[in-house]
Amino acid sequence: MTSAVDDVHPPCPPPPVRAGVFPALGLYAAVGRGSFRRYATYRAATWSGAFTNTVFGFFIAYTYRALWEVRPHLGGYDLSAALTYVWLGQALLMPVAAMGGGIQDDLEARISNGDIAVDLYRPVDQQAWWLAGDLGRAGYHLLSRGVMPLLVGGLFFRLRMPAGGFAEAALTWCCFLVSVMFAVTVSFALRYMASLTGFWLLDARGVRQITLVLGMFFSGFLLPLTLFPSALAQVAQHLPWAGMVQIPEDVFLQRRTGSALLAGLGLQLGWIVVLLGAGQLVQRAAAAKVVVQGG
Amino acid sequence: MPARAPLPDRLGALPRILEALRAYRLVAGMWLRASLAYRTSFWLTTIGNAVTSALDFVIIAIMFLHTTALGGWTLPQVAFLYGTSGMTLGLADLAVGSLDQLGQRVRDGSVDTVLVRPAAALAQLSADRFALRRTGRVVQSALILLWAVSRLHLDWTAGRLLVTVLLLVCGSVIFGSVFVAGAAFQFVAADAAEVQNSVTYGGATMLQYPPTIFARDLVRGVVYGVPLAFVNWLPAMYVLGLPDTLGLPGWFRFASPAAALLCATAAGLAWRAALRSYRSTGS
């Protein structure tokens, strides 16, 4: 990379050039599709990952079964709902990147090796660019790594699928998919900010690990949030991480219907607005920082 | 790294092992210095490593808020399983955990660089990206183990003490063997690195919980298939004085050293076979 001192280009990323809203959307859609195809290339990795999710699903399902046999209806879930919670959690783990990853690997590598400077010259909004890529990845992971754990889990355990008439079940499935998309976006907004700390720390792994812990615990991936001690459970259900696993799970299990369903989706949407907004501010500060460094 | 002339074969295996250990020490030392260059990140990742692994125990503790026993085991007894599972996996991960990145090196061809150096490939690849931050898990698990022991009020006979020490050593060897065997598998299937996570991290998760809660076939699989039951389940039954509900031969509780030896031998053979069959990309 050339030194910024004798660089003739403007030191700040130029304002995004947009010929209206729709062409921009087309661009981001192309980024998302490209990302989907890119992940779809690694077939062996996909299979081995889905295998691992399935094995973990078995282990955790047995621990839940042991607990729910002692305490049926614990936390408002019956045994079959609890087991569904486990397998759906394994299915969502990769799409919502509850353990981190996705764009983080690329973004952090580009920040530490300086390639990010090239990205900053692109006439796009960085956050929207990476979000599009992450949604494409999540779409692929939902289809590939989401389906197998659910199928195998359904084969060995009695799982609870959306019930009711056709219309009710279809509505639940639709709301669930919307909620998953929101979950990916919440997760993205958090991961994006965590990775951007690399501009200051040079190595974002530490921050990433801390955010991973918070995400694993407060998302409800390991245990439904209603099982936490009551004060903690109350708080945790309103934090952004609840929007990553707990809310989509409850939508699927039809524990959130009517106004509770809207409240759940609203909470996700609210956090998306707040976190993406905060990400914009961090991104602006980071872009200024990269110039000071001289690339 | 200063190249040293390989010692003559007639001296037997010992000089070669010492030489490999020396290579391991040199490579690991280099990565240690490199990781300490980013101090903030080093401490954050070490603490993060400990907290990540502590999370599993928090989940167990929350489960015990709602029940007094899980599969007939009390919280201190489960904590004993948790501590031993985490310590053995953590020690194995610290020593040879970097091997699980081998597939990446096979893909980008950098294994070839390792093979032309006059030092044991296994030592070099195990020490590659040596990460002291992994002690986070070991220390955290050790603390839980100490807590469990203080709550269990066991009569610490010489036999119990010996079996516990052997548990930690043999358990680490068994997990280490799984890492080596997994790496051998990655020579063949470079993209399938994640499969071995289901045995290492997945296995360690399983071993945190009492064997009584799992399906019989699953338990049989980790006794006779991948012998993870010998890491802590079986010796723990002896140390904690619990009756065997699995219907296994009584001497299995003391068979961890034999299982570890068997695992290490199998992993060594697999590694050797994989290394010999390795063909570079040739580009």
Side-chain angles (χ1 to χ4, degrees):
Chain A
M1 215 164 56
T2 58
S3 156
V5 178
D6 49 23
D7 205 328
V8 291
H9 295 294
C12 286
V17 185
R18 281 190 197 142
V21 177
F22 292 111
L25 276 184
L27 165 73
Y28 296 120
V31 172
R33 273 199 306 277
S35 175
F36 183 102
R37 277 206 301 275
R38 177 184 154 205
Y39 279 90
T41 316
Y42 304 105
R43 296 237 179 88
T46 299
W47 278 106
S48 65
F51 174 81
T52 304
N53 287 140
T54 308
V55 171
F56 267 90
F58 272 108
F59 293 162
I60 301 172
Y62 284 115
T63 68
Y64 275 43
R65 200 182 63 176
L67 181 59
W68 260 268
E69 272 173 358
V70 188
R71 295 285 311 272
H73 308 294
L74 181 61
Y77 298 86
D78 61 13
L79 177 61
S80 146
L83 291 174
T84 313
Y85 193 97
V86 173
W87 287 101
L88 195 60
Q90 287 298 323
L92 288 178
L93 178 65
M94 276 309 280
V96 304
M99 297 179 72
I103 49 116
Q104 280 188 299
D105 302 323
D106 298 334
L107 182 54
E108 281 165 22
R110 293 183 78 82
I111 290 172
S112 65
N113 69 21
D115 285 350
I116 194 76
V118 180
D119 296 338
L120 288 174
Y121 277 116
R122 292 199 173 116
V124 292
D125 178 64
Q126 288 298 310
Q127 195 187 37
W129 167 278
W130 289 102
L131 173 60
D134 203 46
L135 285 173
R137 172 202 63 78
Y140 174 70
H141 278 155
L142 191 65
L143 290 177
S144 61
R145 293 186 60 168
V147 173
M148 183 162 137
L150 265 188
L151 283 181
V152 175
L155 219 57
F156 286 87
F157 298 88
R158 212 167 58 82
L159 301 187
R160 188 190 186 286
M161 290 292 132
F166 174 77
E168 201 184 335
L171 180 72
T172 302
W173 275 104
C174 288
C175 292
F176 169 70
L177 289 177
V178 170
S179 185
V180 170
M181 204 182 82
F182 285 173
V184 176
T185 313
V186 170
S187 155
F188 163 81
L190 290 165
R191 283 178 287 132
Y192 185 69
M193 276 193 279
S195 292
L196 287 191
T197 60
F199 276 104
W200 290 272
L201 297 175
L202 299 177
D203 183 7
R205 268 181 304 181
V207 174
R208 180 168 166 173
Q209 188 121 24
I210 302 297
T211 51
L212 180 149
V213 170
L214 291 171
M216 292 286 278
F217 189 67
F218 286 112
S219 66
F221 170 71
L222 295 169
L223 215 52
L225 297 178
T226 45
L227 267 61
F228 287 12
S230 61
L232 188 63
Q234 277 302 320
V235 176
Q237 280 169 331
H238 294 93
L239 295 178
W241 295 284
M244 281 165 57
V245 177
Q246 180 75 54
I247 294 178
E249 291 257 22
D250 284 346
V251 170
F252 187 85
L253 291 168
Q254 292 170 315
R255 283 167 48 86
R256 278 183 181 276
T257 50
S259 61
L261 174 65
L262 290 178
L265 295 177
L267 185 73
Q268 287 182 305
L269 205 55
W271 278 119
I272 287 173
V273 171
V274 171
L275 294 171
L276 285 183
Q280 283 286 337
L281 296 179
V282 177
Q283 168 177 311
R284 210 165 295 164
K289 173 77 178 165
V290 83
V291 176
V292 175
Q293 286 233 116
Chain B
M1 208 169 62
R4 209 189 242 191
L7 289 158
D9 272 352
R10 63 172 184 281
L11 286 172
L14 187 67
R16 273 190 297 145
I17 291 172
L18 290 177
E19 189 66 22
L21 286 176
R22 184 174 161 274
Y24 183 93
R25 209 182 61 233
L26 288 171
V27 177
M30 182 195 67
W31 282 107
L32 186 62
R33 284 194 300 280
S35 68
L36 288 174
Y38 298 106
R39 250 166 224 275
T40 318
S41 210
F42 171 77
W43 284 110
L44 280 175
T45 46
T46 306
I47 295 166
N49 190 286
V51 175
T52 314
S53 103
L55 210 53
D56 284 341
F57 190 70
V58 173
I59 296 305
I60 292 174
I62 291 178
M63 283 183 159
F64 273 92
L65 286 179
H66 304 284
T67 178
T68 50
L70 207 59
W73 293 47
T74 63
L75 179 58
Q77 289 171 337
V78 173
F80 184 88
L81 289 182
Y82 173 91
T84 48
S85 160
M87 274 186 81
T88 48
L89 176 75
L91 287 171
D93 189 29
L94 181 68
V96 296
S98 297
L99 284 173
D100 71 2
Q101 300 298 319
L102 185 76
Q104 175 69 36
R105 305 199 61 152
V106 169
R107 272 201 303 276
D108 67 24
S110 61
V111 172
D112 298 21
T113 332
V114 169
L115 293 181
V116 295
R117 288 190 197 133
L122 185 59
Q124 290 184 65
L125 289 165
S126 305
D128 183 43
R129 301 192 171 276
F130 177 80
L132 194 65
R133 63 169 185 275
R134 290 174 182 151
T135 46
R137 182 196 299 274
V138 181
V139 172
Q140 182 270 335
S141 304
L143 290 175
I144 300 287
L145 183 60
L146 286 177
W147 177 82
V149 167
S150 76
R151 281 305 183 88
L152 282 166
H153 307 297
L154 293 170
D155 175 21
W156 280 101
T157 58
R160 284 205 165 112
L161 206 61
L162 182 69
V163 170
T164 307
V165 171
L166 278 178
L167 180 166
L168 293 174
V169 175
C170 300
S172 306
V173 171
I174 293 175
F175 270 128
S177 307
V178 174
F179 274 112
V180 173
F185 176 64
Q186 287 188 45
F187 268 117
V188 188
D191 281 334
E194 227 185 312
V195 167
Q196 82 182 70
N197 286 353
S198 56
V199 186
T200 51
Y201 296 99
T205 305
M206 188 182 182
L207 295 180
Q208 290 168 1
Y209 290 89
T212 40
I213 69 169
F214 294 101
R216 265 198 118 61
D217 289 332
L218 203 56
V219 173
R220 219 167 283 153
V222 291
V223 172
Y224 299 106
V226 185
L228 293 180
F230 293 92
V231 169
N232 69 352
W233 278 354
L234 289 159
M237 284 180 190
Y238 170 75
V239 174
L240 303 177
L242 290 168
D244 178 15
T245 49
L246 307 176
L248 297 169
W251 59 270
F252 268 28
R253 298 167 172 219
F254 309 103
S256 294
L261 193 67
L262 215 67
C263 284
T265 310
L269 290 175
W271 175 261
R272 190 173 280 205
L275 201 60
R276 289 205 174 142
S277 69
Y278 172 68
R279 295 281 175 272
S280 184
T281 49
S283 58

